[in-house]
Amino acid sequence: MLHDPETAVTKWDTAIRNLAVFAALAAIFEGTHDTADQWAQRGADAVNKGLYGDHLVLADGSPASPQDIADPLVRTMSATTLGRISAARHVLCYGAVQTAATLTVTRALGFRPRPAALLAGAAINLGTHLIIDRRRPLLRLAVRVGKGDYVKACTVVRAEGKAADSGGPGTALFELDQALHRTIGLAAAAVSAALAVRNTR
């Protein structure tokens, strides 16, 4: 059976273009990850996004005193509520940085991906980022896949007399967090790329 050389070249060109779109998006997602996740994150959100509990706290995460609770002018909320607010605010900021970078780079290079393609990738990145950064789901996953001892062993004491930090920079949980974000970023780039080149073959 004879093969049409022109058809073979067209398929090759299509494959190269699709891989190039994926590689570009993956590079943008990876290249902006640390800036969006670390530099653009508010310090208070980094500290409070993993909070849980029914006990009342102030907006900065410090425990609410009886006087604070009784004062109608002082805003208090449960620790869980503050944790959700902090995580959501961080994720929205993360998404804004990553989306701005994606639009800037792709447009500068003459490629305008479909909005639906970018939204799909953003939904994957941001939805999973929110779940991971609430910490308990990540810890449950770590334990389930046999990383529980690693998480317990690799903690950091930030100051003398303070309890060990099990989730911040330098800890096993933080490393697992970053690894998962980056792997999911590749999946998000693949989905975005697939949608971006759909019907353009």
Side-chain angles (χ1 to χ4, degrees):
M1 181 177 179
L2 297 177
H3 295 281
D4 184 351
E6 291 188 4
T7 300
V9 169
T10 300
K11 288 183 177 180
W12 176 254
D13 289 344
T14 298
I16 293 298
R17 180 207 60 200
N18 294 351
L19 286 169
V21 172
F22 164 68
L25 292 176
I28 295 168
F29 290 174
E30 171 64 20
T32 58
H33 172 72
D34 286 334
T35 298
D37 202 31
Q38 306 297 328
W39 284 92
Q41 181 174 202
R42 295 170 74 244
D45 291 340
V47 172
N48 296 325
K49 64 187 179 183
L51 290 181
Y52 286 90
D54 294 329
H55 59 285
L56 295 179
V57 296
L58 301 178
D60 64 358
S62 59
S65 68
Q67 291 78 12
D68 292 328
I69 296 170
D71 189 341
L73 298 179
V74 175
R75 185 185 180 199
T76 62
M77 65 194 83
S78 72
T80 296
T81 297
L82 179 59
R84 289 172 178 164
I85 291 172
S86 299
R89 186 164 46 213
H90 163 53
V91 167
L92 288 174
C93 185
Y94 180 97
V97 171
Q98 197 169 76
T99 300
T102 303
L103 289 173
T104 299
V105 173
T106 54
R107 286 172 183 261
L109 297 178
F111 180 64
R112 293 177 179 265
R114 294 180 178 90
L118 295 183
L119 286 173
I124 293 170
N125 267 334
L126 303 189
T128 56
H129 202 112
L130 181 64
I131 294 170
I132 292 168
D133 275 20
R134 286 292 284 138
R135 285 292 181 260
R136 281 187 182 176
L138 176 63
L139 182 56
R140 284 196 293 266
L141 176 62
V143 171
R144 181 165 294 183
V145 300
K147 297 294 183 182
D149 290 339
Y150 174 44
V151 171
K152 290 178 182 177
C154 296
T155 60
V156 176
V157 176
R158 306 288 177 193
E160 187 176 351
K162 297 289 186 180
D165 175 12
S166 61
T171 68
L173 198 62
F174 181 83
E175 296 299 330
L176 293 173
D177 164 284
Q178 292 298 300
L180 199 51
H181 286 323
R182 286 187 155 89
T183 300
I184 291 170
L186 281 177
V191 171
S192 286
L195 294 175
V197 300
R198 179 177 289 179
N199 300 326
T200 60
R201 295 180 175 81

